[in-house]
Amino acid sequence: MATTKNQSGCWYVEFTVCLIGLLLFPLPSQSSDPDPLQDFCIGDTKSALSVNGFPCKPAANVTSDDFFFDGLSKEGNMSNPFGSSVTSGNVLTFPGLNTLGISMNRVDIGPGGLNPPHSHPRASETGVVINGRILVGFITTGNVFYSKILTPGQMFVIPTGLVHFQMNVGEEKALIFTAFNSHLPGAAVVPTNLFASEPSVPDDVLTKAFQVEKTVIDEIKCKFGA
Ligand SMILES: *[C@@H]1O[C@H](CO)[C@@H](O)[C@H](O)[C@H]1NC(C)=O
Ligand SMILES: *[C@@H]1O[C@H](CO)[C@@H](O)[C@H](O)[C@H]1NC(C)=O
């Protein structure tokens, strides 16, 4: 009886210590950009200084225009092998986003076109379909594939860093706006990452990774002009 009491007492203490630990320490999995330390910090993208983000433009130089951006108003050029175009509204194109931990993209996809499998290393993504019918899919690190066909007004979410794509499965041009919890989410596009890097990934690595002959790898590299 005494032993049982003692054991459950131990369990209780350990549980309490663990709970306090959880409350005191931030979760290590925080993946979005850090919070800003001032009202705003319009990125001085031409600065020679290199920091984690961009230095702030002097406040006296800031104007209304620094907080507005019309770069997503025009359709992108879809005349490329993927038949799609991504226009970025990130800190590089819209320096007003600097340090705020958010950004948006415009994605235009022609009929049959594809925004090819890619991942954003620094952000989760959410998006809303404006026009068209779009197959949105992503694959988890455990190789489970989740997907759905979306129509205008419908939203999706891609958890941080997972490989995903959007394909136009309708008859019309498709338009999506996407949003990220990073001022510069980054994008690693799987096919070009692996087959069109500079310098190129050795054929031995790719033949082994994909379990195919060198001719197959060379054919794919050739498609990307590598
Ligand atoms: C700020 O404005 C001053 C005066 O117009 C100009 O000389 C300077 O280059 C500007 N600095 C930046 C970072 O825009
Ligand atoms: C679209 O891109 C293609 C291929 O790069 C180019 O030939 C064409 O001129 C571009 N069209 C426009 C309207 O910019």
Side-chain angles (χ1 to χ4, degrees):
M1 199 60 174
T3 318
T4 314
K5 248 188 205 159
N6 189 31
Q7 275 175 348
S8 62
C10 272
W11 178 86
Y12 182 74
V13 169
E14 276 168 24
F15 176 76
T16 310
V17 168
C18 184
L19 194 67
I20 291 170
L22 275 179
L23 293 175
L24 285 181
F25 298 104
L27 293 176
S29 63
Q30 178 172 3
S31 54
S32 56
D33 291 2
D35 286 338
L37 303 177
Q38 58 280 305
D39 273 5
F40 59 80
C41 172
I42 307 302
D44 178 3
T45 53
K46 302 208 169 55
S47 171
L49 289 176
S50 175
V51 293
N52 195 14
F54 291 97
C56 315
K57 197 169 159 177
N61 290 37
V62 172
T63 67
S64 287
D65 281 348
D66 285 311
F67 299 99
F68 301 93
F69 176 62
D70 75 351
L72 303 190
S73 60
K74 288 175 216 68
E75 185 178 281
N77 185 341
M78 293 170 268
S79 303
N80 56 62
F82 296 125
S84 70
S85 165
V86 176
T87 310
S88 296
N90 60 34
V91 68
L92 299 179
T93 53
F94 183 10
L97 296 174
N98 193 38
T99 78
L100 298 180
I102 51 174
S103 59
M104 294 187 77
N105 281 351
R106 171 189 179 123
V107 185
D108 292 288
I109 314 177
L114 173 71
N115 184 14
H118 61 283
S119 77
H120 304 289
R122 293 181 289 278
S124 293
E125 168 175 346
T126 186
V128 60
V129 176
I130 306 298
N131 293 323
R133 267 170 64 80
I134 302 193
L135 172 66
V136 179
F138 69 88
I139 307 105
T140 68
T141 56
N143 300 330
V144 180
F145 175 53
Y146 294 98
S147 69
K148 186 162 187 159
I149 291 175
L150 300 184
T151 53
Q154 297 185 322
M155 277 181 79
F156 63 86
V157 64
I158 310 293
T160 307
L162 298 187
V163 173
H164 61 283
F165 65 84
Q166 291 109 8
M167 184 168 211
N168 183 343
V169 293
E171 311 286 315
E172 315 287 327
K173 276 184 199 167
L175 172 62
I176 319 173
F177 284 100
T178 54
F180 305 88
N181 61 333
S182 168
H183 74 185
L184 189 61
V189 180
V190 179
T192 50
N193 222 220
L194 288 175
F195 297 98
S197 65
E198 188 59 54
S200 68
V201 178
D203 281 1
D204 286 352
V205 172
L206 297 172
T207 54
K208 195 77 171 173
F210 290 96
Q211 299 284 298
V212 293
E213 299 298 318
K214 187 177 175 303
T215 51
V216 178
I217 298 300
D218 289 342
E219 190 186 338
I220 301 174
K221 280 186 172 174
C222 189
K223 299 266 185 208
F224 293 109

mmCIF file with all atom_site columns, all heavy atoms in Angstrom, residues 183-210:
data_model
loop_
_atom_site.group_PDB
_atom_site.id
_atom_site.type_symbol
_atom_site.label_atom_id
_atom_site.label_alt_id
_atom_site.label_comp_id
_atom_site.label_asym_id
_atom_site.label_entity_id
_atom_site.label_seq_id
_atom_site.pdbx_PDB_ins_code
_atom_site.Cartn_x
_atom_site.Cartn_y
_atom_site.Cartn_z
_atom_site.occupancy
_atom_site.B_iso_or_equiv
_atom_site.pdbx_formal_charge
_atom_site.auth_seq_id
_atom_site.auth_comp_id
_atom_site.auth_asym_id
_atom_site.auth_atom_id
_atom_site.pdbx_PDB_model_num
ATOM 1   N N   . HIS A 1 183 ? 8.271  36.262 -44.466 1.00 0.00 ? 183 HIS A N   1
ATOM 2   C CA  . HIS A 1 183 ? 8.400  37.338 -45.460 1.00 0.00 ? 183 HIS A CA  1
ATOM 3   C C   . HIS A 1 183 ? 9.185  36.854 -46.692 1.00 0.00 ? 183 HIS A C   1
ATOM 4   O O   . HIS A 1 183 ? 9.214  37.528 -47.700 1.00 0.00 ? 183 HIS A O   1
ATOM 5   C CB  . HIS A 1 183 ? 8.970  38.627 -44.837 1.00 0.00 ? 183 HIS A CB  1
ATOM 6   C CG  . HIS A 1 183 ? 10.431 38.616 -44.509 1.00 0.00 ? 183 HIS A CG  1
ATOM 7   N ND1 . HIS A 1 183 ? 11.040 39.663 -43.852 1.00 0.00 ? 183 HIS A ND1 1
ATOM 8   C CD2 . HIS A 1 183 ? 11.421 37.729 -44.754 1.00 0.00 ? 183 HIS A CD2 1
ATOM 9   C CE1 . HIS A 1 183 ? 12.335 39.408 -43.720 1.00 0.00 ? 183 HIS A CE1 1
ATOM 10  N NE2 . HIS A 1 183 ? 12.586 38.246 -44.259 1.00 0.00 ? 183 HIS A NE2 1
ATOM 11  N N   . LEU A 1 184 ? 9.802  35.676 -46.562 1.00 0.00 ? 184 LEU A N   1
ATOM 12  C CA  . LEU A 1 184 ? 10.534 35.090 -47.689 1.00 0.00 ? 184 LEU A CA  1
ATOM 13  C C   . LEU A 1 184 ? 10.512 33.562 -47.533 1.00 0.00 ? 184 LEU A C   1
ATOM 14  O O   . LEU A 1 184 ? 11.461 32.972 -47.020 1.00 0.00 ? 184 LEU A O   1
ATOM 15  C CB  . LEU A 1 184 ? 11.984 35.618 -47.704 1.00 0.00 ? 184 LEU A CB  1
ATOM 16  C CG  . LEU A 1 184 ? 12.837 35.294 -48.925 1.00 0.00 ? 184 LEU A CG  1
ATOM 17  C CD1 . LEU A 1 184 ? 12.244 35.885 -50.197 1.00 0.00 ? 184 LEU A CD1 1
ATOM 18  C CD2 . LEU A 1 184 ? 14.261 35.811 -48.736 1.00 0.00 ? 184 LEU A CD2 1
ATOM 19  N N   . PRO A 1 185 ? 9.396  32.920 -47.937 1.00 0.00 ? 185 PRO A N   1
ATOM 20  C CA  . PRO A 1 185 ? 9.234  31.484 -47.661 1.00 0.00 ? 185 PRO A CA  1
ATOM 21  C C   . PRO A 1 185 ? 10.250 30.584 -48.367 1.00 0.00 ? 185 PRO A C   1
ATOM 22  O O   . PRO A 1 185 ? 10.556 29.509 -47.879 1.00 0.00 ? 185 PRO A O   1
ATOM 23  C CB  . PRO A 1 185 ? 7.812  31.165 -48.136 1.00 0.00 ? 185 PRO A CB  1
ATOM 24  C CG  . PRO A 1 185 ? 7.374  32.315 -48.956 1.00 0.00 ? 185 PRO A CG  1
ATOM 25  C CD  . PRO A 1 185 ? 8.201  33.496 -48.589 1.00 0.00 ? 185 PRO A CD  1
ATOM 26  N N   . GLY A 1 186 ? 10.799 31.051 -49.497 1.00 0.00 ? 186 GLY A N   1
ATOM 27  C CA  . GLY A 1 186 ? 11.709 30.214 -50.281 1.00 0.00 ? 186 GLY A CA  1
ATOM 28  C C   . GLY A 1 186 ? 10.921 29.112 -50.975 1.00 0.00 ? 186 GLY A C   1
ATOM 29  O O   . GLY A 1 186 ? 9.834  28.734 -50.523 1.00 0.00 ? 186 GLY A O   1
ATOM 30  N N   . ALA A 1 187 ? 11.437 28.632 -52.111 1.00 0.00 ? 187 ALA A N   1
ATOM 31  C CA  . ALA A 1 187 ? 10.757 27.553 -52.825 1.00 0.00 ? 187 ALA A CA  1
ATOM 32  C C   . ALA A 1 187 ? 11.813 26.648 -53.449 1.00 0.00 ? 187 ALA A C   1
ATOM 33  O O   . ALA A 1 187 ? 12.646 27.110 -54.234 1.00 0.00 ? 187 ALA A O   1
ATOM 34  C CB  . ALA A 1 187 ? 9.830  28.100 -53.903 1.00 0.00 ? 187 ALA A CB  1
ATOM 35  N N   . ALA A 1 188 ? 11.805 25.379 -53.067 1.00 0.00 ? 188 ALA A N   1
ATOM 36  C CA  . ALA A 1 188 ? 12.673 24.388 -53.710 1.00 0.00 ? 188 ALA A CA  1
ATOM 37  C C   . ALA A 1 188 ? 11.773 23.601 -54.652 1.00 0.00 ? 188 ALA A C   1
ATOM 38  O O   . ALA A 1 188 ? 10.919 22.822 -54.206 1.00 0.00 ? 188 ALA A O   1
ATOM 39  C CB  . ALA A 1 188 ? 13.310 23.477 -52.668 1.00 0.00 ? 188 ALA A CB  1
ATOM 40  N N   . VAL A 1 189 ? 11.932 23.845 -55.973 1.00 0.00 ? 189 VAL A N   1
ATOM 41  C CA  . VAL A 1 189 ? 11.091 23.171 -56.976 1.00 0.00 ? 189 VAL A CA  1
ATOM 42  C C   . VAL A 1 189 ? 11.762 21.832 -57.300 1.00 0.00 ? 189 VAL A C   1
ATOM 43  O O   . VAL A 1 189 ? 12.874 21.808 -57.837 1.00 0.00 ? 189 VAL A O   1
ATOM 44  C CB  . VAL A 1 189 ? 10.942 24.055 -58.235 1.00 0.00 ? 189 VAL A CB  1
ATOM 45  C CG1 . VAL A 1 189 ? 10.067 23.362 -59.272 1.00 0.00 ? 189 VAL A CG1 1
ATOM 46  C CG2 . VAL A 1 189 ? 10.367 25.418 -57.853 1.00 0.00 ? 189 VAL A CG2 1
ATOM 47  N N   . VAL A 1 190 ? 11.090 20.738 -56.957 1.00 0.00 ? 190 VAL A N   1
ATOM 48  C CA  . VAL A 1 190 ? 11.745 19.425 -56.986 1.00 0.00 ? 190 VAL A CA  1
ATOM 49  C C   . VAL A 1 190 ? 12.406 19.100 -58.329 1.00 0.00 ? 190 VAL A C   1
ATOM 50  O O   . VAL A 1 190 ? 13.600 18.792 -58.363 1.00 0.00 ? 190 VAL A O   1
ATOM 51  C CB  . VAL A 1 190 ? 10.765 18.312 -56.557 1.00 0.00 ? 190 VAL A CB  1
ATOM 52  C CG1 . VAL A 1 190 ? 11.436 16.950 -56.623 1.00 0.00 ? 190 VAL A CG1 1
ATOM 53  C CG2 . VAL A 1 190 ? 10.249 18.572 -55.139 1.00 0.00 ? 190 VAL A CG2 1
ATOM 54  N N   . PRO A 1 191 ? 11.671 19.178 -59.469 1.00 0.00 ? 191 PRO A N   1
ATOM 55  C CA  . PRO A 1 191 ? 12.324 18.790 -60.730 1.00 0.00 ? 191 PRO A CA  1
ATOM 56  C C   . PRO A 1 191 ? 13.533 19.656 -61.088 1.00 0.00 ? 191 PRO A C   1
ATOM 57  O O   . PRO A 1 191 ? 14.581 19.113 -61.466 1.00 0.00 ? 191 PRO A O   1
ATOM 58  C CB  . PRO A 1 191 ? 11.210 18.911 -61.781 1.00 0.00 ? 191 PRO A CB  1
ATOM 59  C CG  . PRO A 1 191 ? 10.073 19.603 -61.121 1.00 0.00 ? 191 PRO A CG  1
ATOM 60  C CD  . PRO A 1 191 ? 10.241 19.474 -59.646 1.00 0.00 ? 191 PRO A CD  1
ATOM 61  N N   . THR A 1 192 ? 13.420 20.972 -60.939 1.00 0.00 ? 192 THR A N   1
ATOM 62  C CA  . THR A 1 192 ? 14.552 21.820 -61.315 1.00 0.00 ? 192 THR A CA  1
ATOM 63  C C   . THR A 1 192 ? 15.662 21.746 -60.271 1.00 0.00 ? 192 THR A C   1
ATOM 64  O O   . THR A 1 192 ? 16.845 21.805 -60.601 1.00 0.00 ? 192 THR A O   1
ATOM 65  C CB  . THR A 1 192 ? 14.115 23.282 -61.535 1.00 0.00 ? 192 THR A CB  1
ATOM 66  O OG1 . THR A 1 192 ? 13.349 23.716 -60.418 1.00 0.00 ? 192 THR A OG1 1
ATOM 67  C CG2 . THR A 1 192 ? 13.278 23.419 -62.789 1.00 0.00 ? 192 THR A CG2 1
ATOM 68  N N   . ASN A 1 193 ? 15.273 21.573 -59.001 1.00 0.00 ? 193 ASN A N   1
ATOM 69  C CA  . ASN A 1 193 ? 16.259 21.406 -57.931 1.00 0.00 ? 193 ASN A CA  1
ATOM 70  C C   . ASN A 1 193 ? 17.181 20.232 -58.247 1.00 0.00 ? 193 ASN A C   1
ATOM 71  O O   . ASN A 1 193 ? 18.407 20.334 -58.163 1.00 0.00 ? 193 ASN A O   1
ATOM 72  C CB  . ASN A 1 193 ? 15.494 21.108 -56.646 1.00 0.00 ? 193 ASN A CB  1
ATOM 73  C CG  . ASN A 1 193 ? 16.024 21.840 -55.435 1.00 0.00 ? 193 ASN A CG  1
ATOM 74  O OD1 . ASN A 1 193 ? 16.083 21.275 -54.361 1.00 0.00 ? 193 ASN A OD1 1
ATOM 75  N ND2 . ASN A 1 193 ? 16.406 23.082 -55.587 1.00 0.00 ? 193 ASN A ND2 1
ATOM 76  N N   . LEU A 1 194 ? 16.590 19.108 -58.631 1.00 0.00 ? 194 LEU A N   1
ATOM 77  C CA  . LEU A 1 194 ? 17.366 17.892 -58.822 1.00 0.00 ? 194 LEU A CA  1
ATOM 78  C C   . LEU A 1 194 ? 18.003 17.787 -60.208 1.00 0.00 ? 194 LEU A C   1
ATOM 79  O O   . LEU A 1 194 ? 19.084 17.236 -60.353 1.00 0.00 ? 194 LEU A O   1
ATOM 80  C CB  . LEU A 1 194 ? 16.474 16.663 -58.594 1.00 0.00 ? 194 LEU A CB  1
ATOM 81  C CG  . LEU A 1 194 ? 16.097 16.400 -57.139 1.00 0.00 ? 194 LEU A CG  1
ATOM 82  C CD1 . LEU A 1 194 ? 15.117 15.236 -57.051 1.00 0.00 ? 194 LEU A CD1 1
ATOM 83  C CD2 . LEU A 1 194 ? 17.345 16.085 -56.312 1.00 0.00 ? 194 LEU A CD2 1
ATOM 84  N N   . PHE A 1 195 ? 17.292 18.324 -61.229 1.00 0.00 ? 195 PHE A N   1
ATOM 85  C CA  . PHE A 1 195 ? 17.762 18.084 -62.597 1.00 0.00 ? 195 PHE A CA  1
ATOM 86  C C   . PHE A 1 195 ? 18.279 19.315 -63.327 1.00 0.00 ? 195 PHE A C   1
ATOM 87  O O   . PHE A 1 195 ? 18.731 19.214 -64.454 1.00 0.00 ? 195 PHE A O   1
ATOM 88  C CB  . PHE A 1 195 ? 16.638 17.424 -63.415 1.00 0.00 ? 195 PHE A CB  1
ATOM 89  C CG  . PHE A 1 195 ? 16.257 16.069 -62.887 1.00 0.00 ? 195 PHE A CG  1
ATOM 90  C CD1 . PHE A 1 195 ? 15.172 15.904 -62.066 1.00 0.00 ? 195 PHE A CD1 1
ATOM 91  C CD2 . PHE A 1 195 ? 17.034 14.946 -63.197 1.00 0.00 ? 195 PHE A CD2 1
ATOM 92  C CE1 . PHE A 1 195 ? 14.830 14.651 -61.554 1.00 0.00 ? 195 PHE A CE1 1
ATOM 93  C CE2 . PHE A 1 195 ? 16.706 13.695 -62.696 1.00 0.00 ? 195 PHE A CE2 1
ATOM 94  C CZ  . PHE A 1 195 ? 15.609 13.543 -61.875 1.00 0.00 ? 195 PHE A CZ  1
ATOM 95  N N   . ALA A 1 196 ? 18.181 20.476 -62.705 1.00 0.00 ? 196 ALA A N   1
ATOM 96  C CA  . ALA A 1 196 ? 18.664 21.677 -63.398 1.00 0.00 ? 196 ALA A CA  1
ATOM 97  C C   . ALA A 1 196 ? 19.493 22.551 -62.474 1.00 0.00 ? 196 ALA A C   1
ATOM 98  O O   . ALA A 1 196 ? 19.555 23.764 -62.632 1.00 0.00 ? 196 ALA A O   1
ATOM 99  C CB  . ALA A 1 196 ? 17.477 22.461 -63.956 1.00 0.00 ? 196 ALA A CB  1
ATOM 100 N N   . SER A 1 197 ? 20.147 21.932 -61.483 1.00 0.00 ? 197 SER A N   1
ATOM 101 C CA  . SER A 1 197 ? 20.977 22.730 -60.566 1.00 0.00 ? 197 SER A CA  1
ATOM 102 C C   . SER A 1 197 ? 22.269 23.125 -61.268 1.00 0.00 ? 197 SER A C   1
ATOM 103 O O   . SER A 1 197 ? 22.630 22.582 -62.315 1.00 0.00 ? 197 SER A O   1
ATOM 104 C CB  . SER A 1 197 ? 21.288 21.922 -59.307 1.00 0.00 ? 197 SER A CB  1
ATOM 105 O OG  . SER A 1 197 ? 22.086 20.800 -59.628 1.00 0.00 ? 197 SER A OG  1
ATOM 106 N N   . GLU A 1 198 ? 22.966 24.069 -60.673 1.00 0.00 ? 198 GLU A N   1
ATOM 107 C CA  . GLU A 1 198 ? 24.231 24.553 -61.226 1.00 0.00 ? 198 GLU A CA  1
ATOM 108 C C   . GLU A 1 198 ? 25.285 24.555 -60.119 1.00 0.00 ? 198 GLU A C   1
ATOM 109 O O   . GLU A 1 198 ? 25.125 25.289 -59.152 1.00 0.00 ? 198 GLU A O   1
ATOM 110 C CB  . GLU A 1 198 ? 24.014 25.982 -61.763 1.00 0.00 ? 198 GLU A CB  1
ATOM 111 C CG  . GLU A 1 198 ? 25.180 26.556 -62.535 1.00 0.00 ? 198 GLU A CG  1
ATOM 112 C CD  . GLU A 1 198 ? 25.551 25.728 -63.757 1.00 0.00 ? 198 GLU A CD  1
ATOM 113 O OE1 . GLU A 1 198 ? 24.668 25.455 -64.587 1.00 0.00 ? 198 GLU A OE1 1
ATOM 114 O OE2 . GLU A 1 198 ? 26.735 25.367 -63.842 1.00 0.00 ? 198 GLU A OE2 1
ATOM 115 N N   . PRO A 1 199 ? 26.358 23.755 -60.166 1.00 0.00 ? 199 PRO A N   1
ATOM 116 C CA  . PRO A 1 199 ? 26.588 22.679 -61.140 1.00 0.00 ? 199 PRO A CA  1
ATOM 117 C C   . PRO A 1 199 ? 25.587 21.539 -60.931 1.00 0.00 ? 199 PRO A C   1
ATOM 118 O O   . PRO A 1 199 ? 24.907 21.511 -59.918 1.00 0.00 ? 199 PRO A O   1
ATOM 119 C CB  . PRO A 1 199 ? 28.014 22.234 -60.832 1.00 0.00 ? 199 PRO A CB  1
ATOM 120 C CG  . PRO A 1 199 ? 28.307 22.669 -59.442 1.00 0.00 ? 199 PRO A CG  1
ATOM 121 C CD  . PRO A 1 199 ? 27.425 23.848 -59.160 1.00 0.00 ? 199 PRO A CD  1
ATOM 122 N N   . SER A 1 200 ? 25.506 20.631 -61.889 1.00 0.00 ? 200 SER A N   1
ATOM 123 C CA  . SER A 1 200 ? 24.451 19.621 -61.819 1.00 0.00 ? 200 SER A CA  1
ATOM 124 C C   . SER A 1 200 ? 24.787 18.498 -60.834 1.00 0.00 ? 200 SER A C   1
ATOM 125 O O   . SER A 1 200 ? 25.949 18.212 -60.551 1.00 0.00 ? 200 SER A O   1
ATOM 126 C CB  . SER A 1 200 ? 24.159 19.068 -63.211 1.00 0.00 ? 200 SER A CB  1
ATOM 127 O OG  . SER A 1 200 ? 25.258 18.325 -63.654 1.00 0.00 ? 200 SER A OG  1
ATOM 128 N N   . VAL A 1 201 ? 23.722 17.904 -60.291 1.00 0.00 ? 201 VAL A N   1
ATOM 129 C CA  . VAL A 1 201 ? 23.878 16.778 -59.367 1.00 0.00 ? 201 VAL A CA  1
ATOM 130 C C   . VAL A 1 201 ? 24.443 15.604 -60.186 1.00 0.00 ? 201 VAL A C   1
ATOM 131 O O   . VAL A 1 201 ? 23.961 15.335 -61.294 1.00 0.00 ? 201 VAL A O   1
ATOM 132 C CB  . VAL A 1 201 ? 22.503 16.398 -58.764 1.00 0.00 ? 201 VAL A CB  1
ATOM 133 C CG1 . VAL A 1 201 ? 22.627 15.187 -57.829 1.00 0.00 ? 201 VAL A CG1 1
ATOM 134 C CG2 . VAL A 1 201 ? 21.889 17.587 -58.015 1.00 0.00 ? 201 VAL A CG2 1
ATOM 135 N N   . PRO A 1 202 ? 25.476 14.908 -59.669 1.00 0.00 ? 202 PRO A N   1
ATOM 136 C CA  . PRO A 1 202 ? 26.085 13.814 -60.449 1.00 0.00 ? 202 PRO A CA  1
ATOM 137 C C   . PRO A 1 202 ? 25.056 12.754 -60.874 1.00 0.00 ? 202 PRO A C   1
ATOM 138 O O   . PRO A 1 202 ? 24.162 12.409 -60.098 1.00 0.00 ? 202 PRO A O   1
ATOM 139 C CB  . PRO A 1 202 ? 27.098 13.204 -59.470 1.00 0.00 ? 202 PRO A CB  1
ATOM 140 C CG  . PRO A 1 202 ? 27.396 14.297 -58.497 1.00 0.00 ? 202 PRO A CG  1
ATOM 141 C CD  . PRO A 1 202 ? 26.144 15.109 -58.379 1.00 0.00 ? 202 PRO A CD  1
ATOM 142 N N   . ASP A 1 203 ? 25.187 12.257 -62.106 1.00 0.00 ? 203 ASP A N   1
ATOM 143 C CA  . ASP A 1 203 ? 24.280 11.221 -62.634 1.00 0.00 ? 203 ASP A CA  1
ATOM 144 C C   . ASP A 1 203 ? 24.224 10.001 -61.720 1.00 0.00 ? 203 ASP A C   1
ATOM 145 O O   . ASP A 1 203 ? 23.162 9.412  -61.527 1.00 0.00 ? 203 ASP A O   1
ATOM 146 C CB  . ASP A 1 203 ? 24.728 10.782 -64.036 1.00 0.00 ? 203 ASP A CB  1
ATOM 147 C CG  . ASP A 1 203 ? 24.290 11.777 -65.101 1.00 0.00 ? 203 ASP A CG  1
ATOM 148 O OD1 . ASP A 1 203 ? 23.657 12.797 -64.735 1.00 0.00 ? 203 ASP A OD1 1
ATOM 149 O OD2 . ASP A 1 203 ? 24.584 11.542 -66.289 1.00 0.00 ? 203 ASP A OD2 1
ATOM 150 N N   . ASP A 1 204 ? 25.387 9.637  -61.129 1.00 0.00 ? 204 ASP A N   1
ATOM 151 C CA  . ASP A 1 204 ? 25.426 8.464  -60.245 1.00 0.00 ? 204 ASP A CA  1
ATOM 152 C C   . ASP A 1 204 ? 24.450 8.606  -59.087 1.00 0.00 ? 204 ASP A C   1
ATOM 153 O O   . ASP A 1 204 ? 23.836 7.626  -58.658 1.00 0.00 ? 204 ASP A O   1
ATOM 154 C CB  . ASP A 1 204 ? 26.834 8.288  -59.658 1.00 0.00 ? 204 ASP A CB  1
ATOM 155 C CG  . ASP A 1 204 ? 27.808 7.755  -60.691 1.00 0.00 ? 204 ASP A CG  1
ATOM 156 O OD1 . ASP A 1 204 ? 27.337 7.385  -61.790 1.00 0.00 ? 204 ASP A OD1 1
ATOM 157 O OD2 . ASP A 1 204 ? 29.022 7.723  -60.398 1.00 0.00 ? 204 ASP A OD2 1
ATOM 158 N N   . VAL A 1 205 ? 24.342 9.830  -58.576 1.00 0.00 ? 205 VAL A N   1
ATOM 159 C CA  . VAL A 1 205 ? 23.433 10.081 -57.449 1.00 0.00 ? 205 VAL A CA  1
ATOM 160 C C   . VAL A 1 205 ? 21.992 9.899  -57.910 1.00 0.00 ? 205 VAL A C   1
ATOM 161 O O   . VAL A 1 205 ? 21.184 9.250  -57.244 1.00 0.00 ? 205 VAL A O   1
ATOM 162 C CB  . VAL A 1 205 ? 23.653 11.512 -56.889 1.00 0.00 ? 205 VAL A CB  1
ATOM 163 C CG1 . VAL A 1 205 ? 22.587 11.861 -55.866 1.00 0.00 ? 205 VAL A CG1 1
ATOM 164 C CG2 . VAL A 1 205 ? 25.052 11.634 -56.293 1.00 0.00 ? 205 VAL A CG2 1
ATOM 165 N N   . LEU A 1 206 ? 21.693 10.445 -59.094 1.00 0.00 ? 206 LEU A N   1
ATOM 166 C CA  . LEU A 1 206 ? 20.308 10.408 -59.572 1.00 0.00 ? 206 LEU A CA  1
ATOM 167 C C   . LEU A 1 206 ? 19.899 9.025  -60.078 1.00 0.00 ? 206 LEU A C   1
ATOM 168 O O   . LEU A 1 206 ? 18.764 8.591  -59.858 1.00 0.00 ? 206 LEU A O   1
ATOM 169 C CB  . LEU A 1 206 ? 20.101 11.485 -60.645 1.00 0.00 ? 206 LEU A CB  1
ATOM 170 C CG  . LEU A 1 206 ? 20.299 12.925 -60.113 1.00 0.00 ? 206 LEU A CG  1
ATOM 171 C CD1 . LEU A 1 206 ? 20.269 13.939 -61.259 1.00 0.00 ? 206 LEU A CD1 1
ATOM 172 C CD2 . LEU A 1 206 ? 19.242 13.280 -59.080 1.00 0.00 ? 206 LEU A CD2 1
ATOM 173 N N   . THR A 1 207 ? 20.822 8.315  -60.737 1.00 0.00 ? 207 THR A N   1
ATOM 174 C CA  . THR A 1 207 ? 20.463 6.958  -61.204 1.00 0.00 ? 207 THR A CA  1
ATOM 175 C C   . THR A 1 207 ? 20.183 6.051  -60.006 1.00 0.00 ? 207 THR A C   1
ATOM 176 O O   . THR A 1 207 ? 19.244 5.253  -60.026 1.00 0.00 ? 207 THR A O   1
ATOM 177 C CB  . THR A 1 207 ? 21.576 6.311  -62.071 1.00 0.00 ? 207 THR A CB  1
ATOM 178 O OG1 . THR A 1 207 ? 22.800 6.343  -61.345 1.00 0.00 ? 207 THR A OG1 1
ATOM 179 C CG2 . THR A 1 207 ? 21.740 7.006  -63.394 1.00 0.00 ? 207 THR A CG2 1
ATOM 180 N N   . LYS A 1 208 ? 20.977 6.209  -58.943 1.00 0.00 ? 208 LYS A N   1
ATOM 181 C CA  . LYS A 1 208 ? 20.786 5.399  -57.739 1.00 0.00 ? 208 LYS A CA  1
ATOM 182 C C   . LYS A 1 208 ? 19.496 5.804  -57.025 1.00 0.00 ? 208 LYS A C   1
ATOM 183 O O   . LYS A 1 208 ? 18.712 4.955  -56.592 1.00 0.00 ? 208 LYS A O   1
ATOM 184 C CB  . LYS A 1 208 ? 21.994 5.605  -56.813 1.00 0.00 ? 208 LYS A CB  1
ATOM 185 C CG  . LYS A 1 208 ? 22.106 4.569  -55.721 1.00 0.00 ? 208 LYS A CG  1
ATOM 186 C CD  . LYS A 1 208 ? 22.659 3.273  -56.270 1.00 0.00 ? 208 LYS A CD  1
ATOM 187 C CE  . LYS A 1 208 ? 22.979 2.291  -55.168 1.00 0.00 ? 208 LYS A CE  1
ATOM 188 N NZ  . LYS A 1 208 ? 23.358 0.981  -55.732 1.00 0.00 ? 208 LYS A NZ  1
ATOM 189 N N   . ALA A 1 209 ? 19.287 7.135  -56.919 1.00 0.00 ? 209 ALA A N   1
ATOM 190 C CA  . ALA A 1 209 ? 18.120 7.629  -56.181 1.00 0.00 ? 209 ALA A CA  1
ATOM 191 C C   . ALA A 1 209 ? 16.808 7.206  -56.843 1.00 0.00 ? 209 ALA A C   1
ATOM 192 O O   . ALA A 1 209 ? 15.843 6.866  -56.164 1.00 0.00 ? 209 ALA A O   1
ATOM 193 C CB  . ALA A 1 209 ? 18.184 9.143  -56.055 1.00 0.00 ? 209 ALA A CB  1
ATOM 194 N N   . PHE A 1 210 ? 16.796 7.245  -58.190 1.00 0.00 ? 210 PHE A N   1
ATOM 195 C CA  . PHE A 1 210 ? 15.551 6.934  -58.895 1.00 0.00 ? 210 PHE A CA  1
ATOM 196 C C   . PHE A 1 210 ? 15.531 5.519  -59.473 1.00 0.00 ? 210 PHE A C   1
ATOM 197 O O   . PHE A 1 210 ? 14.548 5.112  -60.085 1.00 0.00 ? 210 PHE A O   1
ATOM 198 C CB  . PHE A 1 210 ? 15.285 7.975  -59.990 1.00 0.00 ? 210 PHE A CB  1
ATOM 199 C CG  . PHE A 1 210 ? 14.916 9.324  -59.416 1.00 0.00 ? 210 PHE A CG  1
ATOM 200 C CD1 . PHE A 1 210 ? 15.867 10.303 -59.241 1.00 0.00 ? 210 PHE A CD1 1
ATOM 201 C CD2 . PHE A 1 210 ? 13.607 9.574  -59.012 1.00 0.00 ? 210 PHE A CD2 1
ATOM 202 C CE1 . PHE A 1 210 ? 15.524 11.539 -58.678 1.00 0.00 ? 210 PHE A CE1 1
ATOM 203 C CE2 . PHE A 1 210 ? 13.259 10.798 -58.451 1.00 0.00 ? 210 PHE A CE2 1
ATOM 204 C CZ  . PHE A 1 210 ? 14.221 11.775 -58.281 1.00 0.00 ? 210 PHE A CZ  1
#
